[in-house]
Amino acid sequence: MGLFFTTLFIFTAYLSPQIVFGNLSLYHIEIVIAILALVFSVFSGGGSGIFRMPQTYAIVGLSAAVALSIIFSGWLGGAPIALLEFLPNAMVFFFIVANVKKPIHLKILLLVLFGAALFIIVQGHYAAQTEYGYQPYLLRQRLNDDGDRLSRIRGMSFLNDPNDLAQVLVGLIPLMFVFWRKRNFIFNFFLTVVPVSVLLYGLFLTRSRGGLLALVVGTALASRRKIGTWPAILTGAVLLVGLTAAGFSGGRDVSAGDDRMSAWSEGLVLVRQHPLFGVGFNKFADHYEITAHNSVVVCAAELGLLGLICWLTLIIPTVRDAVKSSELGKKLKKVKSDGTRGRFGLRSYGGITAVEPASIPSYRSAVLATPGAEGALLRTAVQRGGNRFDGSSEDSAGLGKTAISYAPQFIDPMVEAGRPTEEEMRRMSGLVVLSMAAYLTAGWFLSRSYTMTLFVEAGIAGAVYRMARDRGTAARMWRLGYALKVSALTSLGLIVFLYIFLRVRQALGI
C-alpha cells in the first residue's frame, strides 16, 4: 500500500489535484494521500537504511534552511507557511526509498511518471494544433517586438513552465530503458522505443533550450563508454547543431542572454549581502525583476550558503553512489579460491570483499571449508543466519579488525528470485547517472531548486542504491561528515566559478 499511495501522490502532484480529482480537490485529498503514504512508508521502510544516508540529513538541513531564511528575512510567521510548501516535495524522497524495493516497484513508478507525462504531452499537442484547446497546457511566448510568438507546451501545478516540463521529460527518458530486454523486440518496442519517442516529441514541443542541452549531454554520456570520450563529445556537438538547425529551440539561439547573466550577477550580490541564510525561500523575485534561471544561484541567494551546502549534500552523494554502483561489478576481480575451488571465489575492489558461490545450495559447506581468519568471519556470519556480516571494525566474535570492509553476501535461494542480477543492477545504476546528469544540466538554466522533480530523481537513485546494496554490488556510502565537507568545498567552488565566469564575460564584452 505504501507504493500505491506514493505513486498516487506523485501522479496527483504532477498533473495537479484539480485535474485528477476535479471538484473533490476542494477537500484537499492530496493531503490525505500524503499522510497515508507517510504512514505506510514508516511500516515498509525497514531495512531501507534511510537514517544512514547523508541525503536524509541533507533534507533535514534544507528544511531548517528554509525556515531560517524566512525568519532572518524578518517574517517570523512565514516559516511554517514555507515549510508546508517545501516538505510535501521533500517527503517524496523518503516515500520512494522506503517503498521501491525491487525492480518491479521501480517499473511501476516509472510507468506512473510516464503516464503523467503522456497526459500533459497529449493535451499540449492538442492545444498547439488547435491553438485554442486547453489553454493552460499552451504558452504563447512573445519572441520580438514585431509580435511573433512561439507556442510551447507546459503542464499545470509546478510544471506550468515549459522549461520545468522539459526538465522532467529529459530526466525520464534514460530511465525508460529500465524496461529494455535483450533480444525481445516487441517488449522493447512498446515499453521503451514508443515511450522514449513520445517523451522526445514532448521535449520538442516545449522548445526548451535547457532541455535541448540536457538531451545532448545525456546522449554524449551514454555513448562515451561505447565510442570513447572525444567521439562522444563530437557526437554531442553534431547533435546540438543538428537539433538547433531543425528548430528544436524554436529558432532561438542556444545561449545565455544578457537578462539571465544580469540575474546571475544579482544573485551573487544577494549571496554577498546575505551569506548564511539568504534573502528568503522563494523570495528572489522580490529583489530582482526576473528569476536567476540557475538552480545554484537561486538556492544560494534564497537559502544562503547553509542551504546550498545541504542542497548539494542531497545531490552529490546521490550521483556518486549511482556512479560507483554502475562501475563496481565491472571492476571486481576474482582474487582467490583456495581449497574451495569451484565452489565459490572471493572478489575484491576498493576494499570490498564479496563471496560469490558457484552453487548457492552448497555455499554453507564451502564456507565451512574456508581456512584462516577469512573462514572464521564467514563461519560466524553463517552461524548467525544473517545475509551480511560487517568486519570493518571490532566484532563480537573477537576476531579484531580485518581487511574485509563490506559484508560477504550470501543469497538465499528463496530470496534470490525477487532480486535483480548484478548486470541489471549495474545497468539501472548507469541509467540513474544519465538521468541525474540530464536533470542537473537542465537545472543549470532553471530556477526551480526545490521542486518535487528533484526529490523524485534523488528518491529513484536512492532506491536503486538500496537494491544494489542488498544485492552486494554497492560501494559503501559516504559518512555525513565527509559528504558535508565535499558539499561545502563544492559550494565555494561553484560560487567562485560563477563569479569568474561573469567577470570574464564582462571583460570580453560578450
Side-chain angles (χ1 to χ4, degrees):
M1 292 300 290
L3 180 63
F4 171 78
F5 287 113
T6 295
T7 54
L8 181 58
F9 179 65
I10 295 173
F11 186 78
T12 302
Y14 272 50
L15 294 186
S16 83
Q18 293 77 16
I19 294 298
V20 177
F21 297 110
N23 293 333
L24 293 177
S25 63
L26 297 174
Y27 299 98
H28 300 289
I29 296 179
E30 69 277 9
I31 297 178
V32 177
I33 297 173
I35 294 174
L36 290 172
L38 176 61
V39 171
F40 282 102
S41 296
V42 169
F43 288 103
S44 64
S48 63
I50 285 179
F51 294 106
R52 296 196 302 271
M53 301 174 70
Q55 294 93 321
T56 297
Y57 301 98
I59 292 176
V60 173
L62 264 178
S63 303
V66 167
L68 289 172
S69 71
I70 295 296
I71 292 173
F72 280 89
S73 71
W75 185 25
L76 182 62
I81 298 174
L83 284 174
L84 286 175
E85 182 178 351
F86 171 78
L87 286 177
N89 296 330
M91 290 302 296
V92 169
F93 172 83
F94 302 108
F95 294 165
I96 294 176
V97 174
N99 295 290
V100 177
K101 305 174 183 178
K102 301 177 182 178
I104 185 62
H105 298 160
L106 177 60
K107 292 175 182 178
I108 291 172
L109 174 60
L110 293 178
L111 287 175
V112 169
L113 292 174
F114 174 72
L118 177 63
F119 180 87
I120 296 172
I121 292 170
V122 169
Q123 296 291 349
H125 169 79
Y126 176 74
Q129 292 298 315
T130 61
E131 295 198 355
Y132 59 89
Y134 290 120
Q135 288 302 319
Y137 294 96
L138 187 67
L139 174 67
R140 298 280 291 159
Q141 180 177 334
R142 185 172 180 176
L143 292 177
N144 50 47
D145 295 334
D146 297 332
D148 295 331
R149 293 183 178 275
L150 176 66
S151 295
R152 307 176 64 191
I153 70 167
R154 60 182 179 179
M156 296 184 67
S157 185
F158 68 94
L159 298 179
N160 64 349
D161 185 283
N163 294 316
D164 295 327
L165 176 59
Q167 190 176 31
V168 169
L169 299 179
V170 80
L172 186 56
I173 287 171
L175 294 175
M176 296 310 297
F177 283 90
V178 167
F179 295 95
W180 188 270
R181 293 182 179 179
K182 290 183 178 180
R183 296 180 293 275
N184 195 327
F185 175 79
I186 296 178
F187 190 90
N188 294 337
F189 180 79
F190 286 105
L191 286 179
T192 301
V193 176
V194 171
V196 167
S197 300
V198 171
L199 295 174
L200 286 171
Y201 177 65
L203 183 62
F204 170 76
L205 292 180
T206 64
R207 307 290 185 170
S208 171
R209 292 172 290 184
L212 170 59
L213 289 174
L215 178 63
V216 169
V217 169
T219 302
L221 286 176
S223 60
R224 182 180 66 86
R225 289 185 179 180
K226 296 288 185 181
I227 62 177
T229 300
W230 288 109
I233 293 175
L234 179 61
T235 299
V238 172
L239 181 63
L240 177 62
V241 172
L243 291 178
T244 303
F248 201 97
S249 60
R252 298 173 298 163
D253 294 333
V254 183
S255 61
D258 292 335
D259 54 346
R260 293 193 178 191
M261 294 298 99
S262 298
W264 290 13
S265 180
E266 180 63 24
L268 294 185
V269 171
L270 294 176
V271 173
R272 187 177 71 242
Q273 295 174 345
H274 307 271
L276 291 180
F277 304 111
V279 298
F281 178 69
N282 285 341
K283 288 186 173 295
F284 188 95
D286 295 346
H287 297 265
Y288 196 67
E289 56 185 357
I290 64 171
T291 188
H293 290 282
N294 183 288
S295 296
V296 173
V297 173
V298 169
C299 183
E302 292 185 347
L303 304 185
L305 292 177
L306 172 64
L308 181 60
I309 291 172
C310 293
W311 188 75
L312 288 173
T313 304
L314 172 64
I315 293 173
I316 295 176
T318 299
V319 175
R320 178 262 179 190
D321 289 344
V323 171
K324 289 295 184 181
S325 297
S326 68
E327 296 176 347
L328 183 61
K330 290 184 177 181
K331 294 184 178 180
L332 285 169
K333 304 292 186 181
K334 187 171 183 179
V335 296
K336 64 182 294 187
S337 58
D338 290 341
T340 56
R341 185 175 182 84
R343 285 177 284 182
F344 78 100
L346 295 175
R347 299 195 304 169
S348 179
Y349 165 69
I352 296 172
T353 301
V355 175
E356 289 196 335
S359 176
I360 290 175
S362 65
Y363 78 86
R364 287 181 180 270
S365 60
V367 165
L368 294 176
T370 306
E374 289 174 342
L377 274 174
L378 301 179
R379 283 191 292 277
T380 302
V382 171
Q383 290 164 2
R384 291 176 179 175
N387 286 335
R388 190 180 307 157
F389 181 78
D390 190 346
S392 58
S393 58
E394 295 289 339
D395 59 83
S396 59
L399 297 175
K401 295 188 177 182
T402 172
I404 301 179
S405 61
Y406 186 78
Q409 198 73 17
F410 302 103
I411 308 299
D412 187 287
M414 299 302 294
V415 178
E416 177 70 10
R419 297 197 183 201
T421 64
E422 182 179 308
E423 179 183 1
E424 188 177 5
M425 277 316 318
R426 289 200 306 267
R427 191 167 64 85
M428 285 196 297
S429 299
L431 293 174
V432 166
V433 173
L434 296 178
S435 178
M436 290 293 294
Y439 174 85
L440 293 174
T441 300
W444 187 255
F445 304 97
L446 294 180
S447 54
R448 308 300 193 271
S449 303
Y450 346 95
T451 60
M452 184 178 290
T453 312
L454 170 64
F455 300 99
V456 169
E457 286 278 339
I460 290 175
V464 171
Y465 178 81
R466 175 188 180 178
M467 286 185 269
R469 186 197 65 211
D470 292 342
R471 187 66 178 80
T473 58
R476 171 173 284 183
M477 67 179 68
W478 279 348
R479 293 185 178 182
L480 177 61
Y482 185 77
L484 287 172
K485 184 188 301 183
V486 172
S487 299
L489 293 174
T490 305
S491 299
L492 294 176
L494 287 172
I495 297 298
V496 171
F497 169 77
L498 287 166
Y499 176 80
I500 294 175
F501 173 79
L502 291 172
R503 284 292 188 182
V504 170
R505 187 175 184 275
Q506 182 180 20
L508 296 177
I510 57 176

